Amino acid sequence: MKIHLILFASSDTEQKSAAMVKSFDSDIRPVQGDIIDDPGFDAGFHNGYEVVKVTINYESEECLVSLSPLAIEVQEIKLETYVEKLLTYGWRELSNQEFAQ
């Protein structure tokens, strides 16, 4: 099954936000309450994200996994820096068109 991890990050002080996604094939399907770890998550700021919602489409064999949002003000890192780190580890930013679907 194709798994799509979705992470929302925002910064009120910077007036910016980003919706990030990382996709991969897996036989393991996350469930609400699981903690997802990824090398793109900076251990100094966040060492895992809780799964808050799972949506399964059996017809397309896809699973959308929404992770708890990240509020940058709580962390000591700029949004742009965090997004760059995620991009380095295979995440990509969702386009406005993808986000609207």
Side-chain angles (χ1 to χ4, degrees):
M1 179 173 278
K2 182 64 97 176
I3 307 293
H4 306 283
L5 299 178
I6 302 169
L7 172 65
F8 298 97
S10 66
S11 170
D12 285 340
T13 57
E14 296 178 65
Q15 300 279 314
K16 295 179 183 177
S17 64
M20 306 296 293
V21 65
K22 186 172 187 178
S23 302
F24 51 92
D25 291 312
S26 178
D27 293 329
I28 301 170
R29 181 181 68 81
V31 296
Q32 187 174 357
D34 281 355
I35 303 296
I36 304 295
D37 191 18
D38 185 89
F41 303 156
D42 193 315
F45 304 103
H46 215 290
N47 58 3
Y49 289 88
E50 184 176 354
V51 173
V52 294
K53 182 179 177 185
V54 177
T55 304
I56 301 169
N57 183 325
Y58 287 103
E59 186 174 347
S60 64
E61 295 187 20
E62 292 184 305
C63 180
L64 301 176
V65 181
S66 297
L67 303 177
S68 57
L70 172 67
I72 294 297
E73 281 70 34
V74 178
Q75 310 299 328
E76 296 178 7
I77 191 170
K78 290 186 177 233
L79 178 63
E80 185 176 307
T81 304
Y82 202 80
V83 167
E84 286 298 322
K85 180 165 178 146
L86 290 171
L87 291 170
T88 301
Y89 286 96
W91 290 77
R92 66 179 179 84
E93 197 161 354
L94 281 171
S95 68
N96 289 338
Q97 183 180 10
E98 289 176 300
F99 187 70
Q101 295 176 359

